[in-house]
Amino acid sequence: MKLGVNIDHIATLRNARGGFEPDIVQASEIALKNDIHALTMHLREDRRHIKDKDLFDVKALGAKINLEMAAVEEIQKIALMLNPYSVCLVPERRQEVTTEGGLDIKSQIDYLKEFIKPIKDKGILVSLFIDSDIEQVEASSIVGADYIELHTGSFSQSFLNKNYDKELKKLKHSALHAQNLGLKVNAGHGLNYQNVYLMKEIPNLQELNIGHSIISKAIFVGLDGAIKEMLELIK
Ligand code: PXP
């Protein structure tokens, strides 16, 4: 299982003072010294954390970027210019604190097919961030995605209540169904140093995208140590 490190919250902290610290390029360099697969960055329409320039600065390091984005034309143009390793389409609402649920693929199959066409034509891998829902898995396959990323937010919440069996089962079931349809499967959201071991129970998961818990731990042990510790747990 590979690790994608989400560095949005380095930018969140930087933007709190509007200056340059902590420097996202320096953070990326530290992260890239480890055996990670990609740096995940979400360019939100409101630019609350990652800014356009951050993407190009990090790309200049030679990093594989997994660009999270809403399926809107403005961000699509930037994605095509940036040419990241992959994009992950996510739902976006201005009022939310974080990405609260999966993207509804089923209700916009034709729109998404058209939307991802120029992205795929450029050779950028396309992932869709969805809930553990068989109908959304099937819609993702119809749209022509390469990957789905399963939203692990409900699982993570249920883990806190020591009542995660049902959510883990749903994740496994969705992952298997997706793989039978030829989709590759990633997962992320709310994963941390306590609950991440359970992801090993989901067959053939390719990659975990983890941000908040790694950046939080980095405050105490440093970014390098926080990433190493997570890599050790998912090995
Ligand atoms: N994957 C996706 C698609 C996300 O939107 C996020 C949150 O930005 C993450 C993974 C990482 O979630 P967390 O910060 O809770 O680890």
Side-chain angles (χ1 to χ4, degrees), residues 9-224:
H9 292 314
I10 305 279
T12 303
L13 188 55
R14 176 196 61 191
N15 298 351
R17 282 289 175 96
F20 62 91
E21 291 178 317
D23 179 12
I24 202 133
V25 170
Q26 192 184 353
S28 302
E29 283 171 338
I30 292 168
L32 290 166
K33 281 196 189 122
N34 288 282
D35 187 21
I36 63 166
H37 181 240
L39 289 171
T40 293
M41 302 169 82
H42 185 174
L43 187 69
R44 280 185 167 266
E45 290 179 87
D46 62 10
R47 308 297 198 274
R48 70 171 71 156
H49 36 56
I50 297 294
K51 313 276 186 202
D52 303 39
K53 183 175 179 300
D54 296 327
L55 295 171
F56 292 90
D57 288 350
V58 171
K59 177 86 192 291
L61 298 173
K64 268 187 187 168
I65 294 178
N66 172 38
L67 176 65
E68 288 178 7
M69 55 180 271
V72 296
E73 200 181 321
E74 184 219 350
I75 310 289
Q76 184 198 47
K77 280 193 190 133
I78 297 165
L80 293 172
M81 258 189 299
L82 179 72
N83 197 14
Y85 173 76
S86 57
V87 304
C88 179
L89 300 184
V90 301
E92 232 177 74
R93 285 187 301 120
R94 293 286 157 101
Q95 310 84 337
E96 69 191 357
V97 178
T98 179
T99 316
E100 280 164 4
L103 187 62
D104 183 4
I105 313 295
K106 216 176 98 183
S107 69
Q108 44 178 348
I109 289 179
D110 290 340
Y111 173 75
L112 289 173
K113 259 189 195 167
E114 275 307 300
F115 186 85
I116 67 172
K117 195 170 178 307
I119 300 174
K120 288 192 73 156
D121 286 350
K122 267 210 126 178
I124 302 166
L125 295 170
V126 173
S127 177
L128 302 174
F129 189 45
I130 60 169
D131 290 324
S132 303
D133 176 323
I134 294 301
E135 289 188 351
Q136 298 296 352
V137 170
E138 287 176 352
S140 301
S141 166
I142 295 168
V143 164
D146 301 289
Y147 285 80
I148 55 166
E149 179 171 331
L150 291 172
H151 196 309
T152 48
S154 300
F155 157 77
S156 302
Q157 202 54 43
S158 66
F159 183 86
L160 290 176
N161 307 326
K162 301 185 173 56
N163 179 25
Y164 55 77
D165 282 358
K166 190 167 140 231
E167 290 301 330
L168 190 58
K169 222 181 246 172
K170 272 164 67 181
L171 287 167
K172 282 186 202 170
H173 189 50
S174 300
L176 281 173
H177 197 67
Q179 286 153 4
N180 286 337
L181 293 171
L183 290 160
K184 292 196 174 118
V185 183
N186 297 334
H189 210 285
L191 297 175
N192 59 34
Y193 295 82
Q194 289 73 43
N195 65 23
V196 75
Y197 76 97
L198 286 164
M199 293 297 102
K200 292 181 189 170
E201 292 194 13
I202 302 171
N204 296 314
L205 262 193
Q206 302 285 310
E207 180 167 329
L208 302 176
N209 282 306
I210 308 182
H212 191 82
S213 62
I214 292 179
I215 305 305
S216 301
K217 186 171 273 280
I219 293 171
F220 302 109
V221 305
L223 185 56
D224 186 61

